[in-house]
Structures are given as structure tokens and as C-alpha cells.
């Protein structure tokens, strides 16, 4: 039997209650594990509660805490794979951070649920069992961090939460496909393609993670928002802009001043498909902002936080080009 580790972090998968009395992160790791007896038939287990939170309350420091613990478990010869239970709300950020931080090693599988553990149609037990089966499959390791939900195996860098309430809310971003599926006891996983980004940022030496804010673009943006964020301590800004990521006139001069002061500015889009490429409005390029490529605003923020912490004077432009890939436009 393989030996797997279960790291529990909270979320609805460990939540209880009907919609009026719902609470995330109630069941502890041992209780969650005991609620799915079939897990014992798949592997021997090491079980750990690493933190117990509703994922909306996670901080960037939790990404590092998880990366550190997973990395230690990967180095442990007595462990063959790692399953992490997590809330769905910020799962895409944790999945992307772990994708950036962890080198390839043993299978690392995140899973979650949309229905609390005591709901009649709870999806957590099935997702946890399927995640365990994937973590016990050595071929999963070649894909890096993956997410298992509703029988789909999704690359950590491709995950989005695409619905606020449907049970199949966790999906692949537009233009990408699951890397595999779980068919009862059978794991269909395609061979790993070379992925564009395997940075293994030097997280063990990261100091304090900088504040990076997301500013949402819309008709009639308030001109003072970028300056307010900077005054409050932001060292980077990610703009979730309309259209193809072109900066509204009201923000231009303020952003230019902030960039001259060393604050990094990344242009992402609030539109779900297409991304922001290098060849949009020349003025945006000239004054030094960076295109996010296909990264969502929240993914771009994860990358900017980690990149600024790892190397404040580093070449952010090539890092974003590598991570965000080419946008089709
Ligand atoms: C959470 O993200 O922790 C709560 C919501 C969920 O898991 O679906």
C-alpha cells in the first residue's frame, strides 16, 4: 500500500450546516478522514491539520506555510503522495502559488467541496476519495500540483472557480482541458507536456511578503485609488482592466508617478478569455506596466507577491512573459 499524507486546511469540505447555519472549517482532520472509510483501503495515512480556515481568510503567508510543509513531506521517503483539503473560494490562488513554489516531486493533489460535509448531497467524500486515488498514482507527479474535483484532474495553474454555487464550480480556465479524469478506481491521466513555468521560486529565503492590491477597472474609476493603495503600503498593483487591458485616462498619470517611485504595475483583464498581450496600447507599454498574459488578476497578484519577495529588483517582465505565456491578441 502507498503511504499518503492528508493536510487539512478547512473550507466547506470540512464545513457543516444548512445555508442558514453554514460554517466552513468545522470538522478537524481526523474526523474528516474518518468520514470516508474507503480511504483506508487505498493507502496508509499520515494526517495533519495544518490550519483550519474559511479560505476567504487565507493570507499569502499560508501559501508559504503549505509549500514548506509539502516540501518536507516530499522529501520524506516514507510518503508517496500528498492530499490537501481546502476551501473552494481562494483555491485557485493557493493552487497557483504552490505551482510556482514547488519543484516537481511526488503527487500533490488539492481537493475541495461545494457542499458542507453534512449535506445530503455532499460532494466532499467523493472528491477526497478521488484525490487520494490520484495522489497514489505516480504518473500524477509529472504534472506538478493538481486539483481533483467532480472527477476532473486539473493542473493547478489552470484552475478557476467558475460558479458561485454549482457543485461542478471548479473547472479549467478557457482554452485549457483537464489533464485527466477519475473513473471510479481508474485514473486516466495524460502524459505530462513540458509546461511553460517551473520556477521553484526560492521561497525558503522569502522575507516578508509585500502588499499587492488588485484594482478593478470600470466606467468612471476613481482617480485616487492607485495613490491610496500606495500610501497604505502596496508595493505592487494588479489592474483588472476592462477589454484588452488598456489603462483608463483617470489612472494614467497617478500610475506613472507610482511606477517612477518603484511600484510595479501589472495589467490584467476582468474578461475571462483572451488575456492581455504585449502588443496592446503602446502608451501602456511605454510607461512600464507589465502585461499579465493569460494570468487572471488573482493569479497575477500571486506571482507579483512572490516575485517581489524573492527578488525586488528582478526582471519582472520576463517572469510575467514566462508565466503568462503569449496572449492570442
Ligand atoms: C471556503 O472557501 O473555505 C469556503 C467555501 C468553499 O469551500 O466552497
Amino acid at each position: 500500500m502507498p503511504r499518503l499524507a492528508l493536510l487539512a486546511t478547512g473550507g466547506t469540505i470540512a464545513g457543516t450546516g444548512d445555508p442558514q447555519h453554514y460554517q466552513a472549517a468545522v470538522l478537524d482532520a481526523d474526523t474528516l478522514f474518518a468520514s470516508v472509510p474507503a480511504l483506508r483501503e487505498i493507502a496508509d495515512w499520515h494526517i495533519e491539520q495544518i490550519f483550519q480556515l474559511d479560505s476567504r481568510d487565507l493570507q499569502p503567508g499560508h501559501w508559504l506555510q503549505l509549500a514548506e510543509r509539502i516540501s518536507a513531506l516530499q522529501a520524506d521517503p516514507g510518503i508517496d503522495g500528498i492530499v490537501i483539503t481546502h476551501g473552494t473560494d481562494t483555491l485557485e490562488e493557493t493552487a497557483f502559488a504552490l505551482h510556482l513554489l514547488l519543484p516537481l516531486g511526488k503527487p500533490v493533489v488539492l481537493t475541495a467541496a461545494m457542499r458542507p460535509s453534512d449535506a445530503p448531497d455532499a460532494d466532499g467524500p467523493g472528491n477526497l476519495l478521488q484525490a487520494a486515488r490520484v495522489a497514489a498514482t505516480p504518473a500524477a507527479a509529472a504534472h506538478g500540483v493538481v486539483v481533483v474535483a467532480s472527477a476532473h484532474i486539473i493542473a493547478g495553474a489552470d484552475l478557476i472557480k467558475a460558479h458561485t454555487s454549482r457543485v461542478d464550480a471548479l473547472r479549467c480556465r478557457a482554452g485549457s482541458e483537464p489533464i485527466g479524469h477519475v473513473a471510479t478506481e481508474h485514473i486516466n491521466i495524460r502524459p505530462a507536456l513540458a509546461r511553460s513555468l517551473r520556477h521553484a521560486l526560492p521561497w525558503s529565503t522569502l522575507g516578508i511578503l509585500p502588499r499587492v492590491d488588485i484594482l478593478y477597472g470600470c466606467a468612471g474609476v476613481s482617480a485616487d485609488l492607485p495613490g491610496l493603495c500606495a500610501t497604505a503600503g502596496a508595493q505592487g498593483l494588479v489592474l483588472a482592466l476592462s477589454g484588452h487591458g488598456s489603462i483608463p485616462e483617470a489612472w494614467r498619470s497617478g500610475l506613472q508617478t507610482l511606477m517612477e517611485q518603484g511600484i510595479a504595475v501589472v495589467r490584467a483583464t476582468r474578461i475571462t478569455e483572451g488575456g492581455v498581450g504585449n502588443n496592446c496600447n503602446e502608451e501602456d507599454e511605454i510607461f512600464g506596466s507589465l502585461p499579465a498574459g493569460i494570468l487572471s488578476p488573482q493569479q497575477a497578484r500571486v506571482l507579483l507577491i512572490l516575485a517581489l519577495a524573492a527578488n525586488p529588483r528582478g526582471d519582472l517582465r520576463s517572469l510575467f512573459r514566462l508565466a503568462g505565456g503569449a496572449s492570442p491578441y
Side-chain angles (χ1 to χ4, degrees):
M1 286 248 266
R3 184 164 165 79
L4 301 179
L6 172 65
L7 299 183
T9 75
T12 292
I13 194 166
T16 57
D18 58 34
Q20 281 75 43
H21 306 97
Y22 164 77
Q23 208 186 328
V26 174
L27 301 191
D28 63 25
D30 290 323
T31 313
L32 183 60
F33 174 76
S35 70
V36 189
L39 290 171
R40 289 187 193 282
E41 293 161 23
I42 295 176
D44 293 322
W45 288 87
H46 162 83
I47 296 167
E48 207 172 304
Q49 185 84 55
I50 182 159
F51 42 82
Q52 176 74 312
L53 287 169
D54 186 316
S55 75
R56 67 178 178 206
D57 297 324
L58 254 65
Q59 305 293 319
H62 290 111
W63 307 331
L64 294 191
Q65 191 184 340
L66 263 177
E68 199 160 342
R69 190 63 194 116
I70 294 167
S71 183
L73 289 165
Q74 283 182 315
D76 180 342
I79 295 289
D80 299 305
I82 299 120
V83 175
I84 304 116
T85 54
H86 196 287
T88 62
D89 283 354
T90 64
L91 183 57
E92 57 192 278
E93 283 149 271
T94 298
F96 189 56
L98 295 178
H99 163 81
L100 293 170
L101 291 167
L102 292 170
L104 292 180
K106 296 169 184 168
V108 177
V109 184
L110 289 148
T111 193
M114 289 297 290
R115 305 279 179 264
S117 61
D118 55 354
D121 56 349
D123 51 331
N127 284 347
L128 182 51
L129 190 58
Q130 291 173 352
R133 291 201 166 109
V134 174
T137 305
H143 290 271
V145 175
V146 300
V147 178
V148 171
S150 307
H152 294 304
I153 310 170
I154 299 168
D158 290 338
L159 182 79
I160 55 165
K161 180 170 179 175
H163 201 280
T164 53
S165 58
R166 272 175 60 155
V167 80
D168 63 346
L170 296 175
R171 303 184 200 158
C172 277
R173 67 159 140 221
S176 65
E177 293 286 325
I179 57 166
H181 295 93
V182 186
T184 324
E185 289 175 22
H186 225 78
I187 308 297
N188 301 311
I189 194 160
R190 65 172 148 77
L193 301 172
R195 295 186 69 83
S196 60
L197 186 68
R198 284 279 168 238
H199 270 289
L201 286 162
W203 51 265
S204 52
T205 60
L206 296 184
I208 293 169
L209 299 180
R211 171 171 165 160
V212 172
D213 290 326
I214 296 179
L215 293 183
Y216 202 83
C218 54
V221 290
S222 304
D224 55 0
L225 282 179
L228 290 172
C229 292
T231 306
Q235 289 170 41
L237 297 175
V238 174
L239 312 178
L241 295 162
S242 55
H244 187 208
S246 119
I247 298 175
E249 206 52 55
W251 280 352
R252 278 173 186 261
S253 65
L255 287 172
Q256 179 135 34
T257 308
L258 295 180
M259 283 196 289
E260 282 160 14
Q261 292 165 5
I263 290 178
V265 175
V266 176
R267 295 191 321 278
T269 176
R270 65 186 200 182
I271 295 179
T272 51
E273 293 186 44
V276 174
N278 287 309
N279 57 345
C280 66
N281 191 332
E282 248 177 53
E283 282 177 53
D284 295 333
E285 282 298 317
I286 287 165
F287 88 91
S289 63
L290 305 166
I294 58 166
L295 300 183
S296 64
Q298 54 273 33
Q299 285 183 318
R301 175 174 173 269
V302 171
L303 181 59
L304 192 54
I305 289 172
L306 298 178
L308 287 173
N311 187 358
R313 289 177 215 291
D315 181 3
L316 291 175
R317 188 169 292 275
S318 52
L319 195 54
F320 269 85
R321 202 166 284 151
L322 201 55
S327 158
Y329 300 104

